[in-house]
Amino acid sequence: MAQFAECWEGLEDPRHGNAGLHDFHELLAIALCCVLCGGQGPTDMALFARAKEPFLRSFLTLANGLPSHDTFNRLFRDLAPEQFRESFQRFMGQFSGQLQGVVAIDGKVLRRSFDRASGKSPLHMVSAWGCRQRLVLGQIATDAKSNEITAVPQLLKMLSLKGAIVTTDALNCQRAIAEQIVEQKGDYALALKGNQGTLHDDVVLLLNDPDAPRTTMPPVVEADHGRIETRTATVSTEIGWLDNQHQWPGLKAIGKVERRRETTEKTTTETAYYLLSSELTPERFNEVVRQHWSIENSLHWRLDVVMNEDQDRTRAGNGAHNLAVLRHMVLNAMQKEGSKGSLRGKFKRAGWDDRFLYSLLQMF
């Protein structure tokens, strides 16, 4: 427990008086074990404590018995989310050295965190996902998607971006964000849409001009899940006039990816445009754009479908925010554990095999 307590250094116990009956770090250990076994909120944590009492007593004192769901609810409701997030960053420091490859930035709404009675907006969690490491590198919460633009700069400050390429959707294609990435010695590949007005129009005009200097890779065809997708990437580095006109921070190239998707029902086409701070080859540019979507497939999908995040009804105080961070910690631990098997299978194994659960705990 001494090593486990060090993981939470700087995290203050928010409870006072009789509410502090149970040991602070023991509560955190039970909560963590519960989520490692596929549990969700305070009710599951209390049920887990009763079901796994012999296992828990093998390394916890539990001097005042087993905590109730109200105890866990109060703890996560009152816990300072900034301090809890800092604990997450220290935990990540064990795994991630210098960042390399693609860092995808995107937000996700926790749908059941909406409180109709008080009119509280659902929590919007913005995450940085290391596509090569397949780890959550950091996260920050807002109360609405409209605040994501202001949250991203704070999230970027938590990361060392040297050697990394930051990708975002079009919402976060902002001058201030691009400038911050460059100042932090990173590169960017920012999706570009009409929210940048004449810049978008000029990029479209240049990349669709048959006489403009550009490089296009041969089409790449992939078939999966009953769908055939053909992608063609184009990059232009001859953008002097565009740079003079718009003076976008760090801009070195522009690119587009044309996608054609064929299914038995229909065929769709789409063209996406990007701003680049480095002169990527079309092949590398295509890889970077493809990797961005792993934040949807490897993070958001698993949080929703495997960890059932959208069904968690924790709403009071800071509960939704703190439990979202706890889920990210668990997801990273499962990813770094290293054995073969699906995430769902690992949750089951942790619930069934005390030795495996204990080995996961030792990572903290």
Side-chain angles (χ1 to χ4, degrees), residues 145-205:
K145 187 171 179 62
S146 59
N147 294 330
E148 186 172 326
I149 294 172
T150 60
V152 169
Q154 300 176 53
L155 178 58
L156 292 174
K157 288 179 182 177
M158 304 175 191
L159 308 174
S160 174
L161 299 180
K162 187 176 181 181
I165 300 176
V166 178
T167 62
T168 73
D169 58 14
L171 174 67
N172 293 301
C173 182
Q174 306 290 332
R175 288 179 179 273
I177 291 175
E179 185 173 14
Q180 181 177 347
I181 293 170
V182 173
E183 287 178 350
Q184 291 185 222
K185 303 186 184 305
D187 284 308
Y188 61 73
L190 307 179
L192 177 66
K193 288 187 178 179
N195 61 326
Q196 290 300 328
T198 57
L199 175 58
H200 175 263
D201 295 339
D202 287 345
V203 168
V204 173
L205 181 66

Side-chain angles (χ1 to χ4, degrees), residues 51-67:
K52 287 285 192 177
E53 183 177 0
F55 168 76
L56 293 174
R57 287 193 180 276
S58 69
F59 61 96
L60 301 180
T61 303
L62 298 176
N64 292 300
L66 300 176

Side-chain angles (χ1 to χ4, degrees), residues 6-184:
E6 290 177 3
C7 182
W8 310 104
E9 183 181 357
L11 183 61
E12 298 176 2
D13 187 349
R15 303 168 302 154
H16 302 285
N18 292 334
L21 183 66
H22 298 281
D23 182 83
F24 179 50
H25 293 119
E26 290 193 353
L27 290 179
L28 292 173
I30 297 171
L32 181 61
C33 286
C34 174
V35 180
L36 283 168
C37 293
Q40 294 178 24
T43 300
D44 283 357
M45 292 170 187
L47 290 172
F48 175 87
R50 290 201 293 272
K52 287 285 192 177
E53 183 177 0
F55 168 76
L56 293 174
R57 287 193 180 276
S58 69
F59 61 96
L60 301 180
T61 303
L62 298 176
N64 292 300
L66 300 176
S68 68
H69 79 278
D70 285 335
T71 298
F72 288 109
N73 187 53
R74 282 192 299 268
L75 174 66
F76 287 100
R77 178 192 66 195
D78 297 334
L79 204 60
E82 295 80 10
Q83 294 179 5
F84 199 50
R85 192 172 64 238
E86 289 172 3
S87 296
F88 172 88
Q89 295 300 138
R90 283 195 298 274
F91 170 66
M92 279 307 302
Q94 304 175 56
F95 299 146
S96 57
Q98 180 66 46
L99 286 183
Q100 293 182 343
V102 176
V103 176
I105 306 290
D106 199 15
K108 177 185 179 297
V109 175
L110 281 68
R111 301 190 183 282
R112 296 284 181 168
S113 61
F114 171 67
D115 190 348
R116 191 180 302 275
S118 65
K120 182 180 179 180
S121 300
L123 184 69
H124 187 84
M125 186 69 74
V126 185
S127 302
W129 173 254
C131 300
R132 177 181 296 181
Q133 301 90 345
R134 295 174 62 84
L135 298 172
V136 182
L137 304 174
Q139 70 284 106
I140 194 166
T142 72
D143 289 330
K145 187 171 179 62
S146 59
N147 294 330
E148 186 172 326
I149 294 172
T150 60
V152 169
Q154 300 176 53
L155 178 58
L156 292 174
K157 288 179 182 177
M158 304 175 191
L159 308 174
S160 174
L161 299 180
K162 187 176 181 181
I165 300 176
V166 178
T167 62
T168 73
D169 58 14
L171 174 67
N172 293 301
C173 182
Q174 306 290 332
R175 288 179 179 273
I177 291 175
E179 185 173 14
Q180 181 177 347
I181 293 170
V182 173
E183 287 178 350
Q184 291 185 222

